[in-house]
Amino acid sequence: QVQLVESGGGSVQPGGSLRLSCVASGSGFSTLVMGWYRQAPGKQREVVAGITTGGITNYAESVKGRFTISRGNAKNTVYLQMDNLKPEDTAVYYCNAKAIATMKLGDYWGQGTQVTVSA
């Protein structure tokens, strides 16, 4: 099994910045893609950004130019630098990993961290 633990959420004013972190732990696993999703109240969960082990990234159109996803040297950590935050970025942010564990490909989720952007 793979466990994901997020940190770094909080409240910030519009135009501010936050940095989310996510660490994957477990035994005998290999992450393929790590990323971030978010879910605002009354809305479906949506992808925010993703990054492969090779460093290929992709972003939702709504966050391009403002958010940056990166991975740590150990490849089991992923970060989301969020700049110029807007009220519409308010949501619970979830870390996601697509990983191989016990010879099976699985989809793993963190518990979520709240990001609130308001004046």
Side-chain angles (χ1 to χ4, degrees):
Q1 288 294 322
V2 180
Q3 294 81 42
L4 303 179
V5 178
E6 304 117 330
S7 60
S11 296
V12 66
Q13 293 185 341
S17 298
L18 285 173
R19 188 182 193 227
L20 305 182
S21 300
C22 173
V23 179
S25 64
S27 61
F29 72 95
S30 176
T31 58
L32 302 178
V33 180
M34 295 188 75
W36 293 92
Y37 289 67
R38 67 186 181 188
Q39 188 167 18
K43 295 187 176 181
Q44 289 189 334
R45 190 173 297 189
E46 62 177 3
V47 63
V48 176
I51 185 168
T52 70
T53 51
I56 298 172
T57 60
N58 73 290
Y59 297 91
E61 285 296 325
S62 59
V63 307
K64 279 183 179 179
R66 301 188 298 120
F67 291 10
T68 303
I69 190 170
S70 61
R71 292 185 75 153
N73 290 333
K75 304 299 183 185
N76 64 340
T77 303
V78 65
Y79 306 100
L80 186 67
Q81 177 67 40
M82 305 184 293
D83 298 318
N84 190 21
L85 282 159
K86 303 176 180 181
E88 50 264 41
D89 295 318
T90 295
V92 177
Y93 284 69
Y94 296 90
C95 179
N96 173 265
K98 291 166 177 50
I100 295 176
T102 60
M103 304 296 289
K104 295 178 181 178
L105 178 63
D107 210 10
Y108 300 93
W109 295 90
Q111 79 284 358
T113 185
Q114 177 70 47
V115 171
T116 302
V117 185
S118 68

